[in-house]
Amino acid sequence: MNVSPSPPPTQLDSLLLKLSWSLFGITLAVVALRLCSDLIMRSFRLSSFLALVAFLLALAGQVLITLAVHWGLGRHMEGLNPEEIRMTMTYIWQAQPIQLLANTAGKVSIAALLVTLHGPKFAKSKTIFIWTLAAISTIFVIIAIVMIYAQCSPVAKLWHESLPGSCDGRNRNQTFAYVQGVVSSIVDLALAVYPIFLFWDLRIQLLKKLILSVLFAFGIVACICAIVRTVNISKLGQTSDVSYAVGSLVIWNTAEMYLVLLAGSLPGLRPLFNKRVKKPINHNSIYGYSSRQSRKSSKHDLVVRLSNLPSSQSKAYATISNINNRTHSDSTENFFKNINSGQIIKTTEVNMATLIPPPSKRQRVAVAEKAREQQDIDTIPGHLGSVRVHFFDQSTGKPTGAPVAIPVADATVKNLELLLNTLQGNDATERVPYRFTFAADGKHLDITNDIYRTLLRPGLKTTEDTITLQYTPQAIFRVRAVSRCSAAIPGHGEAILATSFASSSSSRLATGSGDSTARIFDTDTGTPLHTLKGHTSWVLVASWSPDDTTIATGSMDNTVRLWDPKTGQCLGQPLTGHTKWVNSLAWEPYHLRKEKTSIRLASSSKDATVRIWDTVSKRIDLVLSGHKSSVSCVRWGGTGTIYTASHDKTIKLWDSTKGTLISTLSAHAHWVNHLALSTELVLRTAYHDPAYPTITTTTTTITRTPYPISAFKTAYHTP
């Protein structure tokens, strides 16, 4: 039989009721307005649903707390009878898990709102961070609820001390309550501080940044409430007046719960306000907080429309126009209808102008054809009639056809070329450009533009005369475009990073790839010859020796390897010494070799050095260290000078014999990535060019013999 509470309420229970119901009323109004805003804006999302769930849980917890206060929560135990104590503890233990769930649902709602505000381009790492906070808070609350009901066996002994059983888990539950309180405080603080950094990067007024930050900063107050609640947990184990001590905890727990709900709902009220005052919403702002620039431009809103161009145009292009006195239905809101009203859209101020649409491909071809065949006529009078022209070949003096009457307005050089090619029977693909000359008094006058400007206007000829023009064909330079692929040679498993043709012929091609291999291909047959395996990382560069007897490759494994192109076998151990990957290789020109037993190779590296190797003995001859950053390219000149380019914006010249620096070229403002020498082709291929053709009488064929070294020395003036 329930007994009505008899002791008069004290100041704590009265304070608990006033504070909790006041916060409930404020939260009810804010959440209701927020949900109405989402429904009106048709943007009812996950955060809205979680806010509604959190509010319903808070309502259930508020009812249970009110019943607990009615039976004695917030009053001293000495003034309560056993029945009041039992009912008070019953409602307290039922309300506590519900309030914890309401608190957690509110935090998850804030997390979902932050993810929505960022929009679809939100960084994945930040999304994971926010959802991790929400997950941690949820997991700790679930564990706390389980431990609340697991501390006593049976569970009813929590609120009915006289029942048989035990409560061995009270100390364990109190310890975990400390941990859960700390976690709750950290999550509250993180969800309150993070939006401040988010809003501070947006291009909106400082006042509005402060307003948005303050709205989310309710989480900081909630964090303080969680800290105070956690500190007061220790008082439960030091007092026998449980009903009064728990009342203090409930006050702080309730305050934290409602403050979290307010922090997640207040930022969503501005769109509702804008909608109610019939004010177009600027979707380039946050929840309707438009910048100063957008308010200034509200008198002349920019609308993007599609207008059909004339029939000569093949597409419709967007034009921008100013429209005054537009209705709300014709506002920019409809243009951004696919953008959620809750998203944050970072904008950049740009100057907009109407651009003439680019011509179509057909128009460009027509204009080019017209320019090639006929010049535009805009300054020649149209009343001059025609003039008779007779063409003569300047080299032979013979006429081409009979005199032809040409309208003066059309007597341009382009039209004269077209007419002459027609008289000669040349089709469109065989047209020849000509230079036209008029001979008078032993002088030759070139027709540069047209007959009118050159002869008629100066008075040298009239339209009654027959004008004799001598023509001379001009040089024709035709470049045939590469319109098809002659062959595709498969083989590599990753991207090809380097290619190098053999010095003697283009029928052999060496390639380096990201699959850590180099390959040799026969380009005549389109077949692979050898796979050079040995590198452990990407092959960045490949180079043939001048006599085609060796291939050198450089890799990201910091090594240089030498290969026999005939067998595909590696020649000895790799050349090690670089501390970073090899960027470029350059062989010593053949005519500079002192003897066959000393064949040198230069390699440049990311480690800012160039190393000169003796490829026979596999040792380092010289180390050129003077660059301050990666050496991107190395070239070996015909006079014994080594040229290096670097990311330190300089080019350096080195003596290949002594390894000393000759000079530094420092005029570039950024990285120097490549070098080209004017003698590069001859240095690479001259060894294989025929110096003295020799007739072999037995087979009556011509054989090639390589240049002697003395010929190279003479060409480069070397001793």
Side-chain angles (χ1 to χ4, degrees):
M1 175 178 172
N2 293 342
V3 180
S4 299
S6 55
T10 61
Q11 185 178 1
L12 187 57
D13 61 350
S14 176
L15 174 64
L16 195 157
L17 286 176
K18 292 178 181 179
L19 177 63
S20 62
W21 281 107
S22 298
L23 290 175
F24 174 81
I26 297 173
T27 305
L28 172 64
V30 173
V31 172
L33 290 175
R34 185 261 176 90
L35 296 177
C36 290
S37 172
D38 291 340
L39 292 175
I40 293 174
M41 300 301 297
R42 298 179 181 178
S43 58
F44 195 86
R45 298 175 300 274
L46 176 62
S47 59
S48 306
F49 174 75
L50 291 174
L52 178 60
V53 171
F55 177 76
L56 294 177
L57 290 172
L59 174 61
Q62 181 65 33
V63 172
L64 293 174
I65 290 299
T66 303
L67 292 174
V69 171
H70 176 73
W71 286 100
L73 177 62
R75 289 179 285 176
H76 297 285
M77 292 281 287
E78 58 189 21
L80 302 177
N81 58 45
E83 181 66 13
E84 290 174 335
I85 294 175
R86 185 179 66 82
M87 296 301 298
T88 299
M89 300 306 297
T90 299
Y91 289 120
I92 287 176
W93 288 115
Q94 291 177 358
Q96 185 177 357
I98 294 177
Q99 285 190 322
L100 288 176
L101 289 175
N103 197 345
T104 302
K107 294 174 184 177
V108 178
S109 172
I110 294 177
L113 177 61
L114 290 176
V115 174
T116 303
L117 289 177
H118 276 280
K121 295 185 178 180
F122 188 27
K124 184 176 180 180
S125 59
K126 296 180 181 178
T127 303
I128 294 175
F129 169 73
I130 290 180
W131 284 121
T132 300
L133 289 178
I136 291 175
S137 177
T138 304
I139 292 172
F140 272 83
V141 165
I142 292 175
I143 296 175
I145 293 174
V146 172
M147 295 189 69
I148 286 174
Y149 290 113
Q151 60 181 317
C152 289
S153 179
V155 177
K157 190 171 177 60
L158 282 172
W159 52 81
H160 204 311
E161 291 286 346
S162 61
L163 291 177
S166 63
C167 291
D168 299 332
R170 291 189 185 274
N171 293 333
R172 183 173 61 252
N173 178 66
Q174 185 174 359
T175 302
F176 189 80
Y178 280 113
V179 177
Q180 191 274 329
V182 172
V183 172
S184 179
S185 304
I186 294 174
V187 173
D188 286 337
L189 182 62
L191 294 178
V193 173
Y194 178 78
I196 298 176
F197 296 98
L198 168 64
F199 299 141
W200 222 252
D201 292 335
L202 301 179
R203 296 180 63 252
I204 58 177
Q205 292 179 345
L206 177 61
L207 178 61
K208 292 174 182 177
K209 292 181 181 180
L210 294 175
I211 292 175
L212 289 170
S213 301
V214 169
L215 291 178
F216 276 95
F218 276 99
I220 298 178
V221 184
C223 172
I224 296 174
C225 294
I227 294 174
V228 175
R229 172 174 61 85
T230 304
V231 172
N232 286 338
I233 290 177
S234 61
K235 296 180 180 179
L236 290 178
Q238 302 174 1
T239 180
S240 59
D241 196 356
V242 178
S243 61
Y244 190 86
V246 171
S248 177
L249 287 177
V250 170
I251 289 176
W252 294 109
N253 194 34
T254 304
E256 180 191 6
M257 176 182 65
Y258 286 127
L259 288 174
V260 168
L261 280 172
L262 290 174
S265 300
L266 281 173
L269 301 184
R270 182 58 185 242
L272 178 63
F273 174 76
N274 286 340
K275 198 79 176 181
R276 289 174 64 87
V277 298
K278 304 295 183 182
K279 185 177 180 181
I281 296 177
N282 183 4
H283 289 269
N284 291 334
S285 59
I286 312 163
Y287 277 114
Y289 290 92
S290 60
S291 64
R292 185 186 299 114
Q293 183 69 22
S294 64
R295 290 204 306 272
K296 288 182 180 179
S297 61
S298 61
K299 294 182 180 180
H300 303 284
D301 298 325
L302 289 175
V303 182
V304 178
R305 294 184 175 181
L306 292 178
S307 61
N308 293 325
L309 296 174
S311 58
S312 60
Q313 304 290 343
S314 59
K315 296 181 180 179
Y317 295 89
T319 60
I320 301 174
S321 59
N322 289 331
I323 296 180
N324 299 327
N325 302 323
R326 294 187 294 125
T327 61
H328 176 68
S329 61
D330 194 26
S331 68
T332 56
E333 180 180 358
N334 293 330
F335 179 67
F336 293 100
K337 62 184 178 180
N338 293 326
I339 301 176
N340 294 332
S341 63
Q343 285 187 4
I344 293 177
I345 304 172
K346 293 190 178 181
T347 60
T348 304
E349 184 178 354
V350 296
N351 296 323
M352 303 181 69
T354 302
L355 300 178
I356 299 175
S360 64
K361 182 178 180 180
R362 181 177 301 176
Q363 290 175 320
R364 294 196 300 269
V365 171
V367 171
E369 184 70 17
K370 182 179 179 181
R372 187 175 67 86
E373 295 184 355
Q374 181 178 2
Q375 292 181 346
D376 294 330
I377 308 300
D378 56 358
T379 60
I380 301 177
H383 64 278
L384 295 179
S386 301
V387 63
R388 293 171 61 84
V389 177
H390 200 186
F391 296 103
F392 284 83
D393 190 338
Q394 188 175 20
S395 61
T396 63
K398 295 180 179 181
T400 301
V404 182
I406 304 174
V408 175
D410 296 332
T412 63
V413 172
K414 289 290 183 182
N415 289 339
L416 292 175
E417 285 182 359
L418 180 61
L419 176 59
L420 181 56
N421 278 280
T422 303
L423 293 175
Q424 293 177 337
N426 299 332
D427 59 21
T429 60
E430 297 177 350
R431 288 176 183 170
V432 179
Y434 289 98
R435 186 182 74 172
F436 297 95
T437 306
F438 174 75
D441 300 331
K443 297 181 180 180
H444 291 78
L445 184 63
D446 289 336
I447 309 299
T448 55
N449 295 310
D450 52 65
I451 292 178
Y452 173 76
R453 291 186 181 90
T454 307
L455 301 178
L456 299 182
R457 189 168 64 181
L460 299 177
K461 286 290 182 178
T462 67
T463 55
E464 301 296 330
D465 300 327
T466 298
I467 300 175
T468 301
L469 295 180
Q470 298 177 354
Y471 63 86
T472 304
Q474 304 297 299
I476 302 175
F477 298 94
R478 289 193 177 99
V479 178
R480 180 174 297 178
V482 178
S483 58
R484 65 185 181 88
C485 178
S486 61
I489 309 175
H492 283 294
E494 294 291 342
I496 297 175
L497 307 176
T499 59
S500 178
F501 282 101
S503 303
S504 60
S505 171
S506 60
S507 62
R508 293 292 184 270
L509 174 67
T511 60
S513 171
D515 59 8
S516 304
T517 67
R519 292 175 183 261
I520 304 175
F521 295 96
D522 185 337
T523 58
D524 293 336
T525 61
T527 57
L529 296 178
H530 303 290
T531 301
L532 315 181
K533 297 182 179 180
H535 287 293
T536 59
S537 187
W538 299 356
V539 180
L540 301 179
V541 60
S543 179
W544 293 74
S545 63
D547 55 2
D548 279 356
T549 59
T550 309
I551 296 177
T553 57
S555 170
M556 286 192 71
D557 61 9
N558 309 341
T559 66
V560 176
R561 286 182 177 267
L562 305 176
W563 311 86
D564 185 345
K566 295 181 179 180
T567 63
Q569 298 299 317
C570 185
L571 301 177
Q573 295 299 316
L575 309 181
T576 59
H578 286 295
T579 58
K580 292 187 178 180
W581 59 81
V582 180
N583 292 323
S584 181
L585 297 171
W587 289 90
E588 182 181 22
Y590 186 82
H591 68 280
L592 295 179
R593 294 184 183 178
K594 296 180 180 179
E595 53 187 8
K596 191 174 181 180
T597 57
S598 177
I599 304 174
R600 297 198 293 171
L601 172 70
S603 62
S604 66
S605 171
K606 176 75 172 177
D607 62 10
T609 66
V610 176
R611 296 176 183 267
I612 301 176
W613 310 85
D614 186 330
T615 59
V616 177
S617 62
K618 304 294 190 300
R619 61 179 178 83
I620 299 175
D621 257 5
L622 298 169
V623 177
L624 312 181
S625 56
H627 285 291
K628 299 178 181 178
S629 187
S630 173
V631 183
S632 54
C633 185
V634 60
R635 291 290 183 268
W636 204 316
T639 58
T641 302
I642 295 178
Y643 304 83
T644 58
S646 172
H647 287 184
D648 63 8
K649 311 174 188 178
T650 66
I651 300 171
K652 293 183 181 291
L653 283 66
W654 309 83
D655 186 326
S656 61
T657 303
K658 302 177 181 178
T660 56
L661 180 65
I662 299 175
S663 62
T664 300
L665 309 179
S666 55
H668 284 288
H670 210 275
W671 298 350
V672 185
N673 296 317
H674 194 74
L675 292 173
L677 303 180
S678 60
T679 58
E680 193 168 338
L681 178 63
V682 69
L683 290 176
R684 188 169 61 89
T685 63
Y687 173 83
H688 305 278
D689 286 344
Y692 310 102
T694 303
I695 303 295
T696 304
T697 57
T698 55
T699 59
T700 64
T701 57
I702 298 177
T703 59
R704 294 182 176 183
T705 57
Y707 276 119
I709 295 181
S710 59
F712 283 101
K713 293 183 177 179
T714 302
Y716 288 97
H717 307 286
T718 56

